[in-house]
Amino acid sequence: MTATPATSGTPAVPAQQPWEPALSVRQVLGLERVLAGQPEVVAGAHRLDRPVRWVHVAEAADVGVMLSGGEMVLTTGVLLAGDEDKQGEYIRSLHRAEAAAVVLGLGRAFPAPPDVMRRAADRCGLPMVVLHRPFPFAELTEEVQSRLLRRKFAAVSLSEAVRTELTGLITAGAPVQRLLDEVARHGGCPVVVTNLAHRVLATAGERPAVDDVLRDWERIARQAGAGTADGWIRAELTCRGERWGRLVLCGYRGDRAAGRLLAERAAEALVLHRLLGGGGDGRRGAGPGSAGGTWDSPGSWEEQSARSLLTDLVSGAVPARQLLPRARAAGLPVNRRVFVPLVVGARDTARLDRVLRLLGLPGIVAGLADDRAAVLLSLAPDQDARALTAHFAARLRSAADAAHTVVAAADARADWADVPAGLREAQQVADAVADSPAALELPPVVRLRDVHLRGLVRLLRDDPHVQSFAERELDGLLQGPDGDLLSVLRTYLATGRNKSRTAQLHHVSRPALYRRLEAIQGRLGVDLDDFEQAASVHIALLAHDAQQG
């Protein structure tokens, strides 16, 4: 017989803390009062971490029918002595009732651990403990019950405190990320929100821990869904009878019941956040900030996730390699792929999503400022990136209200680490064509080589020397009250100094245009018929417009 001293490796039970795991068999055996009875584990030593829901003193041979699961049963075995069949059935009935453990006080009924009971407990995997010294069961019952009640009260109290805190954040207009950050803080573990296809919509928690979870997200998501991942607790997100996602506590180390309460409170808060309009996070549909309290569509959460990822890529605040798990978890293929960064002069991200699906192009879409959107395509190495980009742009322009939509594209990147530079390049191209008078005549796809001088000026617009140059060259017009002269100058230079075209675009006669051009030359002190002087003014005007944009 292999016996395990109950004190072996069993620390004293620490002071009660909110969300502390419920008492386990091991922790009960570590209580000071129990240690006085010299406990010894004689069976089921590998199951000592089972939670104890209640402590029950019972001498009845059929005690199993009175249990509901999770009880630690205390007995002297007085009604079992001398009947080995009853002893074996007693243990089996406890196992069927899913008792947490059985504690047998040695004495006149059983001066030594009974072999029949020990062997039956070992076969069932039921922890069996014997007490070598007389021990008042009432004291143990009182001690454990009071601890369990305090823990349960603390869990419920904290659950209500979390609900109150999250509701307060929602009514104050806090963004959803703030809510998730609070949930992660309370849970002490990463929090992930997904759609029904397991694509990650939002995360919270310590960044290294979140990255570790996302790095193996597909496997974790499957295990969490099947209920086989230890410490992964899931709550369904449902609104008006429609299930749209899940919230997962990843690797929660506290009591599972307490974790479920926390996950449920968090799920309630997310649904309420949507019903109240989402605090201004949404970008399309009946999203945050919309009237009538309609709940935001799951698509806007996917867009927020994509926007966060693309923003981090462009800013360079997080190295691109560290963002790979987030991209993979968002559903973007990243292994052995070619990436095409695009910026589209259209804010309708729902339409962009539809076009991508229609063409079968994997990618993520996110709205940007100035009514534009970023698209990151993920293509196989043998696919023609230029042809597919052109096809995408042509399909966008096929809509009646998008006939002049321009797609600013960077060259395809074969290395994920080069994607941030590609996104910045696409943004620069989009900036360069944004205020071009010839925007209506641009091809569907525009690249850096297509924007020429305007693109260079856009790249240099924040240089102090360029700013000073623009102000110096245009000072006579910038200080004047007549803003129309600046508009005339802009059109005149953009049309290649074509007076007829300029007059036509401004709806004035040629003599009237001549008078305005004379006024412009007088204020600037230049001769616009001189190529070098006109070029200098043109560059200054491009720089001024770039700075204003």
Side-chain angles (χ1 to χ4, degrees):
M1 176 177 72
T2 303
T4 304
T7 57
S8 172
T10 305
V13 176
Q16 169 64 34
Q17 297 294 332
W19 299 102
E20 187 181 352
L23 285 176
S24 65
V25 174
R26 189 187 307 278
Q27 288 175 308
V28 172
L29 298 181
L31 294 174
E32 185 175 349
R33 290 185 179 182
V34 179
L35 292 175
Q38 295 182 0
E40 178 188 6
V41 179
V42 297
H46 62 291
R47 304 294 299 277
L48 295 182
D49 291 319
R50 301 174 82 177
V52 175
R53 188 181 61 82
W54 208 243
V55 175
H56 193 64
V57 180
E59 297 294 349
D62 58 349
V63 63
V65 300
M66 297 182 285
L67 305 180
S68 57
E71 295 90 351
M72 174 179 277
V73 177
L74 311 180
T75 183
T76 61
V78 64
L79 299 181
L80 303 175
D83 191 331
E84 293 187 349
D85 289 339
K86 281 187 177 181
Q87 294 171 20
E89 178 56 28
Y90 181 82
I91 295 296
R92 288 189 291 273
S93 69
L94 293 181
H95 172 64
R96 288 193 297 269
E98 298 182 348
V102 59
V103 178
L104 175 66
L106 299 181
R108 281 180 292 180
F110 289 102
D115 285 342
V116 172
M117 294 179 69
R118 182 188 61 77
R119 288 195 299 270
D122 255 338
R123 284 193 296 270
C124 295
L126 176 71
M128 179 176 174
V129 182
V130 296
L131 300 175
H132 289 277
R133 295 186 61 182
F135 182 86
F137 285 168
E139 291 185 10
L140 175 57
T141 302
E142 180 183 4
E143 170 85 8
V144 175
Q145 313 301 47
S146 64
R147 285 178 179 269
L148 290 174
L149 287 173
R150 287 199 303 270
R151 287 165 184 261
K152 182 176 292 187
F153 178 75
V156 173
S157 297
L158 186 54
S159 169
E160 291 306 307
V162 169
R163 172 185 279 162
T164 301
E165 180 181 353
L166 296 181
T167 303
L169 289 174
I170 292 170
T171 55
V176 69
Q177 188 61 50
R178 176 75 186 282
L179 271 65
L180 294 176
D181 288 342
E182 285 301 306
V183 175
R185 182 179 66 82
H186 281 294
C189 66
V191 177
V192 176
V193 178
T194 76
N195 64 11
L196 297 180
H198 302 301
R199 288 196 175 187
V200 175
L201 305 180
T203 62
E206 303 245 344
R207 192 73 254 169
V210 171
D211 287 342
D212 285 343
V213 168
L214 296 184
R215 195 168 290 115
D216 199 18
W217 177 247
E218 290 186 6
R219 179 186 63 81
I220 290 173
R222 286 195 300 271
Q223 290 185 348
T228 58
D230 183 29
W232 265 257
I233 300 175
R234 184 179 73 173
E236 301 295 331
L237 300 175
T238 304
C239 187
R240 297 174 179 170
E242 179 183 351
R243 189 162 58 94
W244 55 269
R246 301 179 181 91
L247 178 140
V248 185
L249 303 183
C250 303
Y252 179 74
R253 296 305 177 195
D255 172 51
R256 190 167 184 85
R260 281 196 295 269
L261 282 175
L262 176 60
E264 289 168 5
R265 296 295 86 80
E268 290 172 2
L270 293 186
V271 171
L272 180 60
H273 190 273
R274 288 195 165 204
L275 286 170
L276 295 180
D281 285 342
R283 296 293 183 182
R284 67 171 184 266
S290 60
T294 54
W295 68 287
D296 196 12
S297 66
S300 66
W301 278 50
E302 294 174 2
E303 183 186 339
Q304 291 169 40
S305 175
R307 186 186 313 118
S308 173
L309 173 61
L310 293 178
T311 299
D312 285 346
L313 279 169
V314 172
S315 68
V318 182
R321 291 296 180 190
Q322 293 184 19
L323 296 173
L324 264 176
R326 287 172 57 187
R328 186 181 292 109
L332 185 73
V334 295
N335 294 332
R336 295 185 295 278
R337 307 293 288 186
V338 173
F339 305 97
V340 183
L342 309 173
V343 172
V344 183
R347 194 60 171 78
D348 190 352
T349 52
R351 174 184 292 171
L352 299 177
D353 278 329
R354 286 195 298 271
V355 172
L356 288 179
R357 288 195 296 270
L358 182 64
L359 299 178
L361 296 177
I364 55 176
V365 179
L368 303 175
D370 302 325
D371 292 327
R372 290 185 295 181
V375 179
L376 181 61
L377 301 180
S378 174
L379 306 177
D382 59 349
Q383 290 181 291
D384 189 334
R386 283 181 170 270
L388 290 174
T389 301
H391 192 26
F392 171 73
R395 184 56 67 104
L396 282 179
R397 282 197 171 191
S398 65
D401 58 345
H404 301 292
T405 300
V406 175
V407 174
D411 291 334
R413 263 55 180 181
D415 190 335
W416 174 259
D418 295 332
V419 169
L423 285 168
R424 289 191 291 270
E425 180 182 315
Q427 282 188 312
Q428 291 160 2
V429 174
D431 287 343
V433 302
D435 57 359
S436 171
L440 298 182
E441 303 171 5
L442 289 170
V445 179
V446 181
R447 292 182 169 80
L448 193 59
R449 65 176 59 86
D450 300 320
V451 296
H452 306 296
L453 178 61
R454 188 179 297 274
L456 174 63
V457 172
R458 279 279 176 172
L459 289 174
L460 301 175
R461 63 181 174 179
D462 295 326
D463 188 297
H465 295 91
V466 175
Q467 294 171 357
S468 298
F469 168 76
E471 292 179 7
R472 184 173 62 251
E473 290 288 300
L474 302 175
D475 182 65
L477 290 181
L478 297 178
Q479 300 302 324
D482 191 359
D484 182 56
L485 292 181
L486 196 64
S487 177
V488 170
L489 175 63
R490 182 180 293 109
T491 305
Y492 179 63
L493 295 174
T495 58
R497 295 182 292 173
N498 186 320
K499 294 182 176 65
S500 298
R501 180 63 173 156
T502 303
Q504 180 184 11
L505 290 173
H506 283 271
H507 307 290
V508 298
S509 64
R510 286 176 65 93
L513 176 65
Y514 293 156
R515 288 193 295 272
R516 295 183 187 186
L517 290 177
E518 289 174 2
I520 291 171
Q521 293 180 109
R523 290 191 183 183
L524 297 182
V526 299
D527 179 6
L528 292 178
D529 289 329
D530 181 88
F531 176 80
E532 185 173 340
Q533 294 184 52
S536 180
V537 172
H538 193 186
I539 294 171
L541 187 57
L542 290 176
H544 169 75
D545 289 345
Q547 292 157 15
Q548 296 301 309

